[in-house]
Amino acid sequence: MNGETARRTPGVRHQDTADPADPAGPRRMVALDRFEALRLLGGVSFGRVVFTQHALPAIRPVNHVVDGGDIVIRTHEGAALVSHTQQAGDPGVVVAYEADAIDPATHLGWSVVVTGYARMVTDPRDLARYRAALRPWVHRTMDFTVRIQPEEITAVRLVPWSE
Amino acid sequence: MNGETARRTPGVRHQDTADPADPAGPRRMVALDRFEALRLLGGVSFGRVVFTQHALPAIRPVNHVVDGGDIVIRTHEGAALVSHTQQAGDPGVVVAYEADAIDPATHLGWSVVVTGYARMVTDPRDLARYRAALRPWVHRTMDFTVRIQPEEITAVRLVPWSE
């Protein structure tokens, strides 16, 4: 497989349509800029917040809104995430946030990964606005509204090799 | 919103169909067992591997196969993940693996999060088998085959409140 890949010549189209494990054939990754990444994120309703819990990697699917370049989520889970961001003067805890839209058959689509500081939203007007826009998936008595300020955004589009 | 939630009585159906931000109405989370979780994972072709890179949370979408209760991925990225698992005698590095199928409009569906040890696959027969089953999304000259042995599985199905 590695040998096969090494023999490929850049710029030459290779059709792998005979490969049942990869019906879409070869594809390539196109890096997207910050603006396009946030536009794609804003166009979907949910993603996954990634954080560290008890020194282990943790991930939870949540819904989100993009507001002024920040990602805003409401979370019931991830108490570890919120406990850090509740302390005044704390710059926040670093989390990652991921959303994607990848076709299960062709694996064409896009993926956006944001890394940034997560902080509790405490302003009452902001809270009211976000709570109206973001309905939690499951009713619980306690939830937190968290803003993630992107420091680094890595976004790619997976397109057919021939495009 | 919290007040509204607190007034809900367990076991009583609440219809929120008038809420344009939540067209599916209330839903509830049903915990799934390990068997069902691995069955769901095996039924989809990709997920997201979550690991720690330079002390920061990192996540990459990848495709997978489920084999004998383990999750097997091929990855070009995540050199941090692989460098740890290459050392002999190393129990592996702890990662999380997530897959979900959540309806963008209703937010009904399922989510599976596996936490476990990631180790390089080095057996030539296993490598050949996994390489045939798992085609990387983008052709590169280098990739690693990694096996994640689940230690903990958290899986939920999001169903309508009335089910």
Side-chain angles (χ1 to χ4, degrees):
Chain A
M1 190 64 192
N2 279 344
E4 190 185 309
T5 308
R7 280 200 305 276
R8 290 178 176 278
T9 314
V12 175
R13 292 185 191 184
H14 296 269
Q15 294 302 329
D16 286 15
T17 45
D19 182 352
D22 194 4
R27 56 195 76 72
R28 61 194 177 86
M29 226 177 238
V30 179
L32 303 176
D33 64 23
R34 192 181 178 97
F35 178 82
E36 178 69 358
L38 289 173
R39 195 189 65 80
L40 288 169
L41 263 187
V44 295
S45 64
F46 76 97
R48 297 133 200 112
V49 62
V50 177
F51 55 102
T52 303
Q53 190 169 37
H54 308 307
L56 295 175
I59 176 168
R60 300 284 182 278
V62 288
N63 49 350
H64 68 253
V65 289
V66 175
D67 185 41
D70 294 341
I71 295 129
V72 180
I73 62 172
R74 287 177 70 181
T75 178
H76 319 281
E77 304 183 85
L81 165 61
V82 174
S83 65
H84 282 87
T85 56
Q86 271 178 316
Q87 292 160 25
D90 191 325
V93 62
V94 175
V95 302
Y97 194 78
E98 191 265 358
D100 55 51
I102 296 170
D103 185 282
T106 63
H107 291 162
L108 299 175
W110 58 264
S111 158
V112 172
V113 177
V114 168
T115 310
Y117 286 97
R119 290 182 193 87
M120 284 268 287
V121 175
T122 52
D123 180 276
R125 275 175 307 185
D126 283 348
L127 277 177
R129 198 158 52 91
Y130 295 140
R131 285 182 173 168
L134 279 173
R135 293 300 160 110
W137 295 352
V138 176
H139 286 289
R140 297 202 187 173
T141 51
M142 186 182 71
D143 77 295
F144 303 97
T145 305
V146 175
R147 180 195 302 273
I148 302 165
Q149 199 168 356
E151 288 281 314
E152 195 183 307
I153 300 181
T154 308
V156 292
R157 200 183 277 280
L158 291 155
V159 299
W161 185 268
S162 52
E163 254 183 31
Chain B
M1 193 63 194
N2 279 346
E4 191 184 309
T5 307
R7 279 200 306 276
R8 287 177 180 278
T9 313
V12 174
R13 292 183 189 184
H14 295 270
Q15 294 301 330
D16 285 24
T17 45
D19 182 352
D22 194 3
R27 57 194 76 72
R28 64 195 175 85
M29 225 176 239
V30 179
L32 303 176
D33 64 23
R34 191 181 178 98
F35 179 83
E36 177 68 359
L38 288 173
R39 195 190 64 79
L40 289 168
L41 263 187
V44 296
S45 65
F46 76 96
R48 297 132 201 115
V49 62
V50 177
F51 54 103
T52 303
Q53 190 169 39
H54 309 307
L56 294 176
I59 176 168
R60 300 283 182 277
V62 288
N63 48 351
H64 69 254
V65 287
V66 175
D67 184 42
D70 293 343
I71 296 128
V72 180
I73 62 172
R74 287 178 70 182
T75 178
H76 321 279
E77 305 184 84
L81 165 62
V82 175
S83 66
H84 283 87
T85 57
Q86 271 178 317
Q87 291 160 25
D90 191 324
V93 62
V94 175
V95 303
Y97 194 78
E98 192 266 356
D100 56 52
I102 296 170
D103 185 281
T106 64
H107 290 163
L108 298 175
W110 57 266
S111 159
V112 173
V113 177
V114 168
T115 310
Y117 287 96
R119 290 182 193 87
M120 284 268 288
V121 175
T122 51
D123 181 274
R125 275 175 308 185
D126 283 349
L127 278 176
R129 197 158 51 91
Y130 295 141
R131 285 182 174 167
L134 280 172
R135 293 300 161 109
W137 295 351
V138 177
H139 287 289
R140 298 203 187 171
T141 51
M142 186 184 72
D143 77 296
F144 304 95
T145 305
V146 175
R147 179 195 302 275
I148 302 165
Q149 200 169 354
E151 289 279 315
E152 195 184 306
I153 300 181
T154 309
V156 291
R157 199 182 277 282
L158 291 155
V159 299
W161 185 268
S162 52
E163 255 182 31

